[in-house]
Amino acid sequence: MDLSYTDEERAFREEVRQFLAEKLPKELSEKVRRGQELTKDDHERWHAILNEQGWQATNWPKEFGGAAWNAVQRHIFEEEAAAHHAPRIVPFGLSMLAPVLQKFGSKEQQDYWLPRILSGEDWWCQGYSEPGAGSDLASLKTTAVKDGDHYIVNGQKTWTTLGQHANMIFCLVRTNKDVKQQEGISFLLIDMETPGITVRPIILLDGGAEVNEVFFDNVKVPAENLVGEEDKGWTYAKYLLTHERTNIAGVGFSQAGLQAVKRIAKSEMAGGRPLIENPHFAARVAQAEIDLMAMATTNLRIISKAAAGQAPGVESSMLKVKGTIIRQEINDLARRAAGVYAMPFASEAVAGSNDALPDPNDAGPVAAQYFNNRKLSIFGGSNEIQRQIIAKTMLGGGK
């Protein structure tokens, strides 16, 4: 297979670069580069800019108002967006819920919810994980009992990313306790303003609170907010997870992070010489770069398959494992390179302050990023689970 870019793809990359140079607000780019916490307004501002360009819903079909980019175009955009320090596109409505609605939702649900996702009128969060249901998601306990033309929901969700900003949540709920675990789950759309919902922040190691607990106490949800069929939610959940794992390798983020490591290591001194000249440190940087180049090539191979209409198989699990290992290694290298400037609880690093940190490399947030990104090997299917998938698939069902 040919992994080189075509003339059309190279021209598209130039178009993306020009767009980012002209339309990405400098203050937003600086906040991302310096690792500062983005506000809801920051995210919504970037969302609106992309939407005006027609580049917000890149994975949606044109019939639903999307850009209908192919896999290579999305890969190019993600690389360039990371290189230009653009805010990440919040995926919950656009890249996770929307594909489920487009495939399994009713015409009424598609006509109502999809335009609101595209416009940014609704901010969605994901209600999957529970205190006793993480990787073993099918063991979830949150219930939804049918009562006339409503469901009554009780239970708890956790690790709800950016739930403090959301006005809507899509949830997996148990609607049948008398069947196998996977067969008694349904998929509900719930308004976060409904009485009985409580959102409580979870303070993380880096001092931030991007994730939350969400409690449901006799929450009344219209039955029309059920997606697909009752008790068939596990099918929809698995379909959503295939989209959640799209680009989970984070090639663009790792490339941008590696450049930051090199920049910091060229400035910081060790033994009278720039740290980048230290043989041990330089060897780690080189190994991370080699691993990243190999992963980027594998990523392109999978993209090439997708462009040819082939669904990715076990390779997506391989990318998830290797991608998170590489990103965590780059985070560790940045933290070590920054030394005393790596201030994990500096308010400027975690609270969105616009005050510059007193170091030559804006390296203050690197420890906070190191702590926060320990999660990468857990979310989206823990690396242990992904390794089991790889082993069973490649070794013919071995335990």
Side-chain angles (χ1 to χ4, degrees):
M1 73 183 53
D2 186 3
L3 298 180
S4 59
Y5 291 106
T6 66
D7 290 341
E8 291 79 7
E9 289 161 352
R10 285 191 286 270
F12 176 75
R13 186 182 291 276
E14 288 305 314
E15 182 184 0
V16 171
R17 286 175 176 171
Q18 183 176 355
F19 165 77
L20 290 168
E22 294 177 357
K23 300 295 185 180
L24 173 60
K26 297 293 187 251
E27 60 272 23
L28 278 186
S29 178
E30 271 300 289
K31 288 184 77 171
V32 173
R33 186 183 70 81
R34 292 167 58 187
Q36 293 178 320
E37 184 176 340
L38 299 181
T39 66
K40 183 180 182 182
D41 287 343
D42 289 334
H43 286 293
E44 290 179 338
R45 182 182 180 189
W46 183 231
H47 181 122
I49 291 170
L50 290 172
N51 195 36
E52 183 179 2
Q53 180 73 11
W55 288 4
Q56 177 69 335
T58 61
N59 62 324
W60 290 21
K62 286 187 179 296
E63 65 184 282
F64 293 115
W69 284 355
N70 61 37
V72 176
Q73 288 175 306
R74 292 197 295 272
H75 172 77
I76 289 172
F77 179 80
E78 287 156 1
E79 273 196 328
E80 293 300 326
H84 286 77
H85 308 293
R88 81 174 179 118
I89 298 174
V90 179
F92 306 109
L94 283 161
S95 302
M96 295 163 65
L97 174 61
V100 173
L101 291 177
Q102 290 164 11
K103 186 172 180 64
F104 301 107
S106 66
K107 181 66 164 54
E108 293 75 15
Q109 289 172 337
Q110 293 170 355
D111 289 345
Y112 182 76
W113 295 112
L114 293 178
R116 294 170 64 91
I117 293 173
L118 201 57
S119 69
E121 188 171 353
D122 288 327
W123 182 306
W124 288 86
C125 60
Q126 180 183 22
Y128 270 30
S129 296
E130 299 183 5
S135 295
D136 183 19
L137 185 58
S139 63
L140 65 89
K141 298 293 191 296
T142 297
T143 61
V145 178
K146 191 73 175 294
D147 181 16
D149 57 357
H150 285 79
Y151 287 94
I152 306 301
V153 178
N154 285 279
Q156 177 187 356
K157 298 294 179 179
T158 194
W159 308 123
T160 308
T161 303
L162 300 181
Q164 71 271 30
H165 299 327
N167 67 306
M168 297 295 302
I169 183 171
F170 55 88
C171 277
L172 293 182
V173 293
R174 185 158 304 285
T175 45
N176 192 337
K177 299 180 180 179
D178 299 324
V179 294
K180 290 174 59 177
Q181 284 186 329
Q182 291 88 343
E183 295 175 0
I185 293 172
S186 296
F187 195 107
L188 274 184
L189 312 179
I190 304 176
D191 188 332
M192 294 283 280
E193 299 299 321
T194 309
I197 295 180
T198 302
V199 179
R200 182 184 301 164
I202 300 173
I203 306 302
L204 302 179
L205 276 173
D206 64 0
E210 68 176 355
V211 294
N212 305 266
E213 297 175 289
V214 182
F215 299 88
F216 301 88
D217 183 10
N218 290 321
V219 175
K220 196 174 182 180
V221 181
E224 64 192 32
N225 284 17
L226 174 74
V227 175
E229 300 179 48
E230 190 174 279
D231 297 343
K232 300 296 183 182
W234 189 248
T235 298
Y236 317 143
K238 290 190 296 182
Y239 183 78
L240 184 148
L241 285 171
T242 65
H243 289 269
E244 181 181 8
R245 290 170 186 160
T246 299
N247 195 43
I248 204 164
V251 173
F253 292 113
S254 291
Q255 289 171 336
L258 189 61
Q259 292 306 311
V261 168
K262 291 179 178 180
R263 172 176 56 81
I264 296 170
K266 287 177 182 177
S267 174
E268 294 302 311
M269 306 298 288
R273 295 189 302 171
L275 179 60
I276 196 66
E277 297 179 11
N278 177 281
H280 176 69
F281 189 86
R284 285 187 63 180
V285 172
Q287 186 62 58
E289 187 160 17
I290 291 168
D291 289 345
L292 179 54
M293 291 172 65
M295 185 181 68
T297 300
T298 302
N299 199 41
L300 287 172
R301 286 171 51 207
I302 294 174
I303 287 171
S304 179
K305 284 185 177 182
Q310 301 178 44
V314 71
E315 297 96 335
S316 61
S317 292
M318 295 165 61
L319 278 178
K320 198 277 176 176
V321 173
K322 194 63 177 178
T324 55
I325 290 173
I326 291 171
R327 284 188 69 186
Q328 289 173 342
E329 170 68 359
I330 290 172
N331 288 149
D332 187 40
L333 287 170
R335 179 179 63 91
R336 291 175 181 274
V340 296
Y341 296 123
M343 299 165 57
F345 299 110
S347 61
E348 295 87 349
V350 300
S353 169
N354 291 320
D355 297 328
L357 290 172
D359 75 82
N361 294 296
D362 291 329
V366 298
Q369 293 167 350
Y370 167 83
F371 288 126
N372 187 279
N373 281 343
R374 303 317 298 168
K375 69 188 179 187
L376 296 178
S377 48
I378 300 174
F379 76 64
S382 71
N383 282 6
E384 289 79 4
I385 297 295
Q386 300 308 310
R387 289 187 177 99
Q388 289 180 15
I389 292 172
I390 295 168
K392 289 179 179 179
T393 303
M394 303 301 289
L395 303 178
K399 295 182 179 179

